[in-house]
Amino acid sequence: MKLEAVDHCASVIALEKGGKRYGMCCAWAMNADYDRVVCLIGSQSATGRAIAKGDVVGFSNLLRSQAAIAAKLGDGHSDSIDKFEGIDIDVDGGAITIPGSRVVMRCQVIDVMSLPGQDGDRLVYMQILDGVKNGGDALRMSDLRERTSTRDTYNIPMAITVAEGLDEDVGVH
């Protein structure tokens, strides 16, 4: 498998645990090896606090056409609202995935590490259990983010035109 299963773009990490659904849009994730993924989750995230070693989680690398999903998952915290209401999802062994995403994987959490000096941010290290690559144009944070002088705001276009394709051999089968 090539080291290309995860692109540096908007991905959803999600799970069902204790009768509750947790999910967030993660902007920093990457392959650490052929069958390993690592992502950084901020300390404010209820999803990040819920994820523990041994959990099976869903990992969905979003398409540009799924920008509204990224925006919805970034609105509020999973411990106070159901972020998945109105979103088509699959649940398998606790892993919540977004069907039709560019890459859809189930992963098992190998370790969750607190990073010193990072104000509670956590590094989640996962093994890819299985997955499928559907292809398409990856949603990048730059597609969503519009810089202002005081803070980031998000611009979700009503229609996004796919301008280019992807190499089909990403390595997740």
Side-chain angles (χ1 to χ4, degrees):
M1 181 180 319
K2 290 184 180 180
L3 289 175
E4 298 175 359
V6 177
D7 196 356
H8 300 277
C9 56
S11 297
V12 172
I13 185 167
L15 73 158
E16 191 171 65
K17 187 174 186 177
K20 187 148 194 70
R21 300 189 298 190
Y22 295 92
M24 64 171 287
C25 191
C26 176
W28 189 90
M30 64 182 289
N31 279 95
D33 202 346
Y34 293 99
D35 64 343
R36 304 278 198 261
V37 175
V38 64
C39 66
L40 185 64
I41 298 179
S43 61
Q44 79 288 354
S45 169
T47 302
R49 291 189 302 272
I51 293 173
K53 185 176 181 176
D55 286 342
V56 176
V57 301
F59 195 91
S60 304
N61 192 229
L62 298 178
L63 293 165
R64 289 184 73 200
S65 62
Q66 295 172 312
I69 293 172
K72 183 167 185 181
L73 289 173
D75 188 24
H77 293 285
S78 296
D79 53 1
S80 59
I81 61 171
D82 181 2
K83 292 184 174 190
F84 295 100
E85 186 177 333
I87 296 176
D88 184 25
I89 61 171
D90 288 331
V91 182
D92 182 4
I96 298 174
T97 55
I98 311 295
S101 295
R102 180 180 168 274
V103 176
V104 178
M105 300 184 292
R106 282 184 335 115
C107 302
Q108 183 164 31
V109 177
I110 296 170
D111 205 354
V112 179
M113 298 158 267
S114 292
L115 299 178
Q118 290 299 312
D119 213 17
D121 289 352
R122 296 162 38 123
L123 196 66
V124 180
Y125 184 50
M126 302 174 285
Q127 179 174 359
I128 300 169
L129 299 175
D130 53 51
V132 62
K133 191 241 180 228
N134 295 311
D137 198 12
L139 175 64
R140 300 190 186 289
M141 293 308 291
S142 60
D143 295 328
L144 300 173
R145 194 168 297 158
E146 183 179 288
R147 290 298 232 185
T148 66
S149 59
T150 57
R151 63 183 177 91
D152 288 341
T153 58
Y154 294 91
N155 175 24
I156 308 302
M158 294 304 286
I160 298 175
T161 304
V162 177
E164 59 186 66
L166 281 177
D167 177 357
E168 290 301 313
D169 187 13
V170 168
V172 175
H173 304 283

